[in-house]
Amino acid sequence: MQDLLSFLISLLFRPCIFIPLIFPGLTVIFIMLLMIIWLERKIAAKVQLRYGPLYVFKPLGGVIQTVADLLKDLFQEPIIPKTVDKIAFLLTPIMLFGLAYLPTVVIPVSPTFYAFRSDLSLLLLLTLTTLAPIFTVLMGWASNNKFSLIGGLREGYLVISYEIPMFLSALSMAVLYGSLDLVDIAEAQKGIWGLFLNPVAGISMLVLIYMSTGKFPFEIPEAESEIVAGAYTEYSGIMYGLVMGASYVKLYVLSLVYAILFLGGWNPLPASMMDNPLLPGAMLFAKAFILIAIGVFLRAVYPRFRIDQAMNIGWKMALPFSILAIFISLGIVTITGGM
Amino acid sequence: MSVDKTIRHVKALATGIKYLVSSKRMTLMYPDEIEEFPDGYRGMIKYNWDTCIKCGLCAMVCPADAMKMYISKEESEEGKKPVRRPGINYARCVFCGFCVAICPTNSLKFTKVHDVVYNTLEEQVYPPEKFREGVPKPQYKKKPKKMRAILDEERGLRYEPVE
């Protein structure tokens, strides 16, 4: 019995199981989702001089309100309208959530603890994150509803305007460190973090992360006051929970990538603490969580941009800035002879 | 991006952070705290059976058709002719106060009660016999704190406890 238990625990701590299932995988994603939605409502309430969720477990400020919401969503009847394309309608939430969650397997937790190491892991990760928007567009089409269609098209417009500059900003860091391997990139930031070496790339990537995950002021594809819930209009119950969760999961994954690219990943922990995956993992998670918290704080401050304003930011500002970031990286590499 | 726009973005974020860290709140925590209303507050209406002269002006002036004259059974049987008295339907009432203002004998008066829950629409209709019993008393689980709304130049609305 004892042997079996210790075997199971050692199995759990194997990277190929720990990373997809615990951190940064499913378990932490689930807890993060519940926490961040509560935090979003609480922050928005605080800025607007209200209390926010309060009565579900009052001593901690209603922190399990989202659990109650989840239970409500689970027991709600999922309504499938008659005129939708059934297969696409039912499969897209699962594909969206799955594709948002999939890139976590590439993310390393410490220099020696990773499920999957490749020379091209950054490229692989960015590629996986770009698949999800296709399903948002498909969802808008499958729902057979004008609001869904408009929401899906808006997502399509946004994707083409944020994707290229975001890739360029991320790849400028690969140029700077001479590697596409996330472990190498994080290890190269032992001394000085990427954000301070190349702040242009850092700021443009941060803005584009919020743009790609539909945070304010870029909450255009699901503009509540204009097109009900955008591509998600026809969804109800737990399917709505999945599609809403998908954008938060995407934000979480991109924040982890941002933490590795620009905020030094698990640095500045000393090398002696790297044996156990928990400490570097906690460090990485803390950095990503702060980024997510900033993202949800923006909701309380900004109104929504028009679609053309957001596209202007993508093409006319972020694209030149990210090209500039590549040249900054090239300049640093030329001067110092590589990091 | 112009410098001016950047400064405005930073200012907006700074304002957000300022409110985030300050402990100001405008919410009145309703069942635990209740607002004390000023005199002349237009709540539910109480009816004085004895001073009423059954003139019917209140029913005539009511813009929402909430106040109506009902035949009062006992009095009609006593006097062998129909006697009409006012009754109110709170499902229709807009609390405009015309009936209270027009009453020649001040038999209708406002109270400060406004928070009463009804299970059915029928319960909200008060025929004269029910109307004379007065307004229902609000019931709270525990004794609520009385608060007064104050307009503050610094932060808008503020609630202060009443001693």
Side-chain angles (χ1 to χ4, degrees):
Chain A
M1 190 64 201
Q2 201 74 30
D3 287 350
L4 187 69
L5 204 68
S6 59
F7 170 71
L8 280 178
I9 288 173
S10 72
L11 193 69
L12 199 65
F13 271 89
R14 263 188 215 167
C16 56
I17 292 182
F18 186 82
I19 287 194
L21 284 188
I22 301 189
F23 178 78
L26 271 183
T27 314
V28 171
I29 282 181
F30 187 67
I31 297 167
M32 185 276 308
L33 264 181
L34 295 177
M35 280 297 293
I36 208 68
I37 294 172
W38 169 78
L39 195 70
E40 177 164 19
R41 293 173 61 181
K42 209 70 185 171
I43 287 178
K46 194 80 204 302
V47 175
Q48 295 162 1
L49 308 179
R50 298 182 284 116
Y51 279 91
L54 184 63
Y55 281 96
V56 187
F57 200 54
K58 216 170 176 181
L60 278 178
V63 71
I64 54 170
Q65 172 75 51
T66 35
V67 180
D69 287 350
L70 179 77
L71 283 177
K72 183 208 77 180
D73 269 354
L74 272 174
F75 290 107
Q76 233 173 23
E77 183 195 0
I79 298 165
I80 304 167
K82 254 184 193 170
T83 51
V84 299
D85 185 335
K86 272 216 181 69
I87 296 170
F89 184 81
L90 289 175
L91 277 183
T92 40
I94 300 161
M95 295 302 271
L96 257 184
F97 196 86
L99 282 170
Y101 152 70
L102 198 59
T104 53
V105 292
V106 194
I107 294 170
V109 173
S110 87
T112 51
F113 198 85
Y114 40 78
F116 178 84
R117 185 170 180 176
S118 150
D119 291 345
L120 300 171
S121 55
L122 174 63
L123 214 54
L124 185 61
L125 195 145
L126 289 174
T127 318
L128 285 175
T129 57
T130 59
L131 290 175
I134 299 168
F135 287 96
T136 313
V137 179
L138 179 63
M139 184 187 274
W141 178 254
S143 291
N144 196 11
N145 171 318
K146 60 184 171 187
F147 299 121
S148 301
L149 188 60
I150 292 169
L153 286 179
R154 284 182 174 195
E155 173 79 19
Y157 273 122
L158 274 188
V159 168
I160 53 162
S161 50
Y162 70 68
E163 211 148 66
I164 296 166
M166 189 160 86
F167 273 35
L168 290 179
S169 311
L171 293 179
S172 75
M173 298 317 278
V175 171
L176 185 60
Y177 296 117
S179 167
L180 280 166
D181 186 350
L182 286 170
V183 181
D184 283 351
I185 289 176
E187 280 294 277
Q189 297 177 60
K190 275 219 166 71
I192 183 164
W193 289 358
L195 183 64
F196 304 112
L197 278 177
N198 196 342
V200 176
I203 290 166
S204 96
M205 174 112 181
L206 189 64
V207 172
L208 291 165
I209 283 178
Y210 296 144
M211 193 160 164
S212 72
T213 50
K215 294 280 137 240
F216 271 88
F218 304 106
E219 197 228 23
I220 298 160
E222 49 188 284
E224 270 178 355
S225 46
E226 299 164 24
I227 46 172
V228 192
Y232 315 150
T233 305
E234 291 289 359
Y235 287 89
S236 55
I238 195 61
M239 284 195 295
Y240 182 72
L242 272 182
V243 291
M244 281 306 285
S247 82
Y248 285 96
V249 175
K250 195 180 174 191
L251 175 63
Y252 165 75
V253 169
L254 286 173
S255 300
L256 282 172
V257 179
Y258 190 88
I260 289 175
L261 284 181
F262 293 96
L263 303 178
W266 43 81
N267 293 311
L269 280 185
S272 57
M273 290 183 182
M274 291 296 180
D275 302 334
N276 194 324
L278 292 179
L279 260 178
M283 191 75 192
L284 196 60
F285 181 75
K287 286 173 182 174
F289 195 82
I290 290 169
L291 289 173
I292 302 170
I294 294 171
V296 298
F297 163 71
L298 293 178
R299 166 178 285 268
V301 177
Y302 278 110
R304 188 181 304 112
F305 279 147
R306 280 197 319 268
I307 181 80
D308 61 312
Q309 289 170 325
M311 286 177 74
N312 268 347
I313 287 174
W315 286 111
K316 288 185 183 166
M317 277 164 50
L319 186 63
F321 271 117
S322 52
I323 291 171
L324 178 69
I326 286 188
F327 281 107
I328 291 173
S329 290
L330 282 174
I332 294 171
V333 170
T334 331
I335 293 166
T336 60
M339 294 304 287
Chain B
M1 191 201 282
S2 65
V3 180
D4 180 45
K5 263 188 186 171
T6 317
I7 291 171
R8 273 190 268 166
H9 278 287
V10 173
K11 268 187 184 168
L13 289 173
T15 312
I17 292 168
K18 195 183 98 188
Y19 278 104
L20 185 66
V21 293
S22 75
S23 59
K24 294 170 180 173
R25 270 163 178 147
M26 283 188 189
T27 313
L28 178 77
M29 305 300 285
Y30 168 65
D32 303 328
E33 305 171 352
I34 54 165
E35 198 179 343
E36 201 200 47
F37 298 111
D39 291 334
Y41 180 80
R42 304 203 295 234
M44 293 171 83
I45 294 158
K46 88 180 164 200
Y47 172 55
N48 191 333
W49 182 277
D50 301 322
T51 54
C52 179
I53 55 169
K54 303 150 213 150
C55 61
L57 277 173
C58 48
M60 189 203 74
V61 80
C62 184
D65 266 355
M67 194 71 84
K68 275 179 189 158
M69 300 306 280
Y70 291 76
I71 292 176
S72 172
K73 257 189 196 162
E74 285 177 27
E75 284 179 294
S76 306
E77 281 165 16
E78 270 175 33
K80 308 280 183 213
K81 61 172 183 179
V83 178
R84 286 190 166 82
R85 277 181 180 274
I88 192 166
N89 178 359
Y90 281 115
R92 301 191 64 99
C93 182
V94 293
F95 300 93
C96 62
F98 285 2
C99 51
V100 177
I102 208 167
C103 185
T105 58
N106 281 341
S107 299
L108 295 172
K109 284 221 175 83
F110 273 127
T111 60
K112 290 179 186 177
V113 178
H114 70 146
D115 37 3
V116 179
V117 177
Y118 297 96
N119 288 321
T120 58
L121 282 172
E122 287 75 30
E123 283 174 49
Q124 303 192 37
V125 182
Y126 283 67
E129 288 78 20
K130 200 177 161 195
F131 198 21
R132 73 188 287 198
E133 285 163 18
V135 293
K137 206 169 175 262
Q139 286 174 354
Y140 304 97
K141 261 186 183 171
K142 56 181 179 184
K143 199 173 175 253
K145 221 160 82 181
K146 286 211 164 175
M147 308 291 271
R148 188 185 291 136
I150 286 169
L151 283 176
D152 192 321
E153 278 187 19
E154 283 276 307
R155 50 181 279 198
L157 203 59
R158 189 156 55 92
Y159 287 96
E160 267 190 358
V162 181
E163 289 82 28

